Amino acid sequence: MSITTVEKRHTPASLRARKGGTPIVSLTAYTTSQAKMLDPHTDLLLVGDSLGMVVYGFASTLPVTMEMMINHGAAVVRGASRACVIVDMPFGSYQESPTQAFANAARIMSETGCAGVKFEGGEVMAETVQFLTQRGIPVLAHVGLQPQSMNALGGFQAQGRTDADAARVIADGKAVADAGAFAIVVEGTAEPVARRLTELVAVPTIGIGASPACDGQVLVIDDILGTFDAFKPRFVKRYAELSGAISAAVSAYADEVRTRRFPGPEHTYGAGTPEKKKNQA
Ligand code: KIV
């Protein structure tokens, strides 16, 4: 008899329990095939609204819709068997009221099968974090740089670099932790502030441009693979340069099609080839 060990899936509760332990490894994912590749190596897959810029080519995350998040969220859930999948709430789908946020978060969870939602905002969103978590929706909070507020913030500058701003980021993080968030994404924040916040809250902080002091790290998958070139923030480390490899492969294909070297006999059905069983094309 063979015994197969099935690795348990990470959950919001198991990630919360990782506070101060082995750092949480997180990446964004937007498709089933990406999720399949990233799942064995990550604890948390975030279907970020960064997909608006990375997948759809928008200049910001603001035009992202509920339908986009639901379609990509469901695709990622289909490809992940052990990572916890969390889906971002798009701009305008949660800020109006806790009840609006609950209705949209519940829809995202029931239509994708994800384990929880993420949305941006600190003190101002604490009531909503509490409303959702008390009603069974795990929330990953997001403080520091908040891309959905880029118009109000005046761009994508690092946060927490003045005393007043540092105090605001820390108050934001404490408010969402006290309200019940299971973890907090801390984006684009000066190291001393990210470190202090990490010390002060009982839940894990997951940094993106917020220093090694956090309890985990998240990056956009296309940023680490070198397939998104619109801009490269200082906090991104490229682990591969796939744009060049993709371009070389496509150029080789184009050349072979133009010179009739592709398709070859091995890619071609001859007359009289016996019909194969269905699904064996
Ligand atoms: O939208 C996103 O991808 C994010 C990040 C934290 C990576 O919010």
Side-chain angles (χ1 to χ4, degrees):
M1 189 178 77
S2 77
I3 299 172
T4 342
T5 32
V6 181
E7 256 196 278
K8 280 225 257 153
R9 193 191 263 280
H10 297 281
T11 63
S14 70
L15 294 176
R16 188 188 189 290
R18 295 266 294 272
K19 175 73 187 174
T22 308
I24 295 170
V25 179
S26 180
L27 281 168
T28 66
Y30 314 112
T31 66
T32 303
S33 55
Q34 275 180 342
K36 282 185 180 160
M37 289 186 276
L38 308 189
D39 186 60
H41 310 286
T42 52
D43 306 315
L44 168 62
L45 287 178
L46 173 65
V47 188
D49 64 349
S50 51
L51 66 78
M53 301 171 79
V54 172
V55 178
Y56 288 88
F58 299 134
S60 76
T61 56
L62 301 189
V64 171
T65 63
M66 282 285 291
E67 281 62 36
M68 288 173 190
M69 295 314 302
I70 287 170
N71 289 337
H72 289 273
V76 169
V77 168
R78 285 194 288 273
S81 58
R82 54 175 292 288
C84 176
V85 179
I86 298 294
V87 176
D88 243 345
M89 297 193 70
F91 178 65
S93 70
Y94 61 92
Q95 291 94 339
E96 196 178 314
S97 66
T99 46
Q100 181 215 25
F102 180 82
N104 283 322
R107 186 176 159 213
I108 290 174
M109 288 191 65
S110 66
E111 293 185 29
T112 65
C114 70
V117 295
K118 172 169 91 57
F119 52 84
E120 298 176 11
E123 279 183 305
V124 78
M125 294 310 300
E127 187 192 346
T128 301
V129 172
Q130 188 173 44
F131 192 88
L132 266 57
T133 51
Q134 286 180 341
R135 287 160 180 77
I137 298 189
V139 174
L140 175 59
H142 183 152
V143 304
L145 179 60
Q146 295 162 38
Q148 291 181 7
S149 301
M150 61 174 277
N151 291 311
L153 294 170
F156 290 114
Q157 299 92 346
Q159 307 290 296
R161 294 180 119 174
T162 63
D163 288 350
D165 204 38
R168 179 190 54 82
V169 176
I170 287 175
D172 278 347
K174 279 171 67 181
V176 290
D178 291 347
F182 73 86
I184 310 171
V185 167
V186 185
E187 179 163 357
T189 296
E191 166 153 25
V193 181
R195 185 177 295 282
R196 185 78 190 117
L197 177 59
T198 302
E199 285 162 3
L200 285 173
V201 293
V203 297
T205 55
I206 303 177
I208 171 163
S211 88
C214 294
D215 298 299
Q217 299 293 328
V218 60
L219 282 175
V220 168
I221 182 62
D222 292 75
D223 280 340
I224 73 161
L225 298 181
T227 48
F228 179 65
D229 286 334
F231 61 90
K232 180 177 170 292
R234 175 196 165 101
F235 58 74
V236 166
K237 178 172 176 184
R238 289 241 198 281
Y239 287 83
E241 290 291 352
L242 296 193
S243 283
I246 293 171
S247 180
V250 174
S251 161
Y253 165 74
D255 187 49
E256 291 195 4
V257 170
R258 290 194 184 105
T259 56
R260 297 195 186 279
R261 282 177 291 144
F262 177 84
E266 70 276 33
H267 310 115
T268 305
Y269 298 104
T273 306
E275 189 136 313
K276 292 214 174 143
K277 277 196 231 132
K278 225 176 157 204
N279 297 332
Q280 254 203 307

